């Protein structure tokens, strides 16, 4: 099963950028399709691969901050090639 995940990580601390950068670099290095914009990061691929990656990297990210919040949306399909039709 293919999925699309939109992920936003918000460390609740002043020095938040290094943890966000670490997470994005880890996602990029995964071999999965990863797209970024200023508000979130999208990860696309097989359910088991995406979820294994996110479980590991979300844990590592939360370990690296005193407090943090993840926002996540998931769709059951690979939407990485989406283009507006209007």
């Amino acid at each position: 099963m293919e999925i699309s995940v939109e992920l936003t990580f918000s460390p609740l601390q002043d020095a938040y950028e290094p943890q966000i950068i670490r997470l994005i670099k880890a996602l990029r290095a995964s071999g999965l399709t990863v797209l970024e914009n200023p508000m979130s990061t999208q990860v696309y691929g097989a359910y088991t691969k995406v979820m294994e990656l996110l479980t590991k990297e979300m844990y590592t990210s939360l370990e690296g901050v005193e407090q943090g919040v993840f926002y996540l949306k998931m769709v059951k399909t690979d939407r990485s090639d989406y283009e507006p039709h209007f």
Side-chain angles (χ1 to χ4, degrees):
M1 168 183 13
E2 297 291 308
I3 62 170
S4 303
V5 176
E6 180 179 60
L7 182 70
T8 302
F9 179 40
S10 299
L12 303 176
Q13 60 189 38
D14 290 335
Y16 60 89
E17 277 189 346
Q19 289 299 324
I20 294 172
I21 291 169
R22 188 216 61 80
L23 173 62
I24 291 171
K25 285 182 176 181
L27 296 175
R28 286 178 184 165
S30 71
L32 295 169
T33 301
V34 177
L35 302 175
E36 305 155 31
N37 66 54
M39 301 293 291
S40 64
T41 302
Q42 294 81 42
V43 183
Y44 305 91
Y47 179 87
T48 53
K49 289 185 179 184
V50 172
M51 294 310 292
E52 285 173 10
L53 173 68
L54 292 181
T55 298
K56 177 182 176 252
E57 294 305 332
M58 290 170 64
Y59 183 88
T60 301
S61 294
L62 291 173
E63 283 283 303
V65 297
E66 196 168 314
Q67 295 181 24
V69 177
F70 273 98
Y71 302 93
L72 184 137
K73 290 189 264 182
M74 185 185 310
V75 177
K76 182 187 169 186
T77 186
D78 183 335
R79 304 286 292 166
S80 61
D81 61 352
Y82 171 78
E83 290 188 29
H85 61 279
F86 50 89

